[in-house]
């Protein structure tokens, strides 16, 4: 439980903190958007400070997902990677993330899409395809459900934040 001292690039964390600050201070204070910013910060910090406390099987599953977000992942595929039953994976994911394995896949897809929206000029359709959505409309609906805004609105807000900071 000792603090971790290690070099890291603080810019992604800084941008997530500024994004949350901007959403709370100047934005619509939408809880979905705030949650996305907090999730980005938690994931970045956890990857740096807490890699040894996770179940290695879960880490293997979601590293595989991150390496191939565009794959049509099924619960059975994820359980096979972990080498455990689908039900055991479901319980483990609930404990680790507070979500089911498939909800975690969706979360990772949307998180990656949010990053791509902010860091590239790629079209929403291309980003949707890169994160596993054949239908950009379905992607946009899922993105809005999880963040509170459509992908194009998310990009505009992020650009405004970047230009004001």
């Amino acid at each position: 439980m000792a603090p971790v001292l290690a070099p890291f690039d603080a810019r992604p964390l800084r941008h997530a903190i500024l994004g949350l600050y901007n959403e709370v201070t100047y934005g619509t204070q939408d809880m979905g958007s705030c949650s996305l910013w907090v999730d980005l910060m938690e994931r970045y910090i956890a990857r740096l400070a807490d890699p040894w406390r996770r179940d290695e099987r879960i880490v293997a599953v979601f590293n595989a997902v991150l390496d191939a977000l565009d794959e049509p992942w099924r619960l059975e595929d994820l359980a096979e990677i972990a080498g455990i039953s689908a039900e055991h994976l479901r319980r483990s994911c609930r404990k680790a993330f507070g979500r089911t394995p498939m909800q975690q896949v969706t979360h990772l897809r949307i998180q990656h899409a949010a990053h791509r929206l902010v860091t590239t000029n790629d079209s929403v359709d291309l980003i949707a395809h890169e994160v596993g959505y054949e239908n950009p409309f379905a992607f946009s609906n899922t993105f809005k459900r999880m963040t509170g805004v459509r992908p194009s609105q998310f990009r505009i807000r992020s650009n405004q934040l970047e230009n004001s900071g």
Side-chain angles (χ1 to χ4, degrees), residues 91-115:
R91 284 192 306 271
S92 297
C93 284
R94 279 266 187 218
K95 183 178 178 185
F97 305 114
R99 358 182 202 282
T100 68
M102 296 313 296
Q103 288 171 333
Q104 182 65 11
V105 169
T106 301
H107 173 78
L108 293 174
R109 286 176 167 162
I110 297 304
Q111 191 175 48
H112 184 75
H115 173 75

Side-chain angles (χ1 to χ4, degrees), residues 43-100:
R43 178 161 170 76
Y44 191 68
I45 291 167
R47 192 176 68 214
L48 294 170
D50 196 22
W52 59 87
R53 291 192 211 163
R54 297 184 189 170
D55 182 332
E56 289 180 16
R57 297 169 299 188
I58 303 277
V59 171
V61 167
F62 292 108
N63 280 340
V65 169
L66 285 169
D67 288 342
L69 285 169
D70 61 333
E71 289 293 318
W73 293 105
R74 298 175 312 127
L75 179 59
E76 294 75 21
D77 301 327
L78 303 176
E80 186 176 325
I81 292 168
I84 57 179
S85 72
E87 186 54 37
H88 187 87
L89 179 62
R90 188 183 333 265
R91 284 192 306 271
S92 297
C93 284
R94 279 266 187 218
K95 183 178 178 185
F97 305 114
R99 358 182 202 282
T100 68

Side-chain angles (χ1 to χ4, degrees), residues 8-18 44:
F8 73 101
D9 183 0
R11 290 175 297 179
L13 185 58
R14 179 180 182 272
H15 286 293
I17 292 168
L18 288 173
Y44 191 68

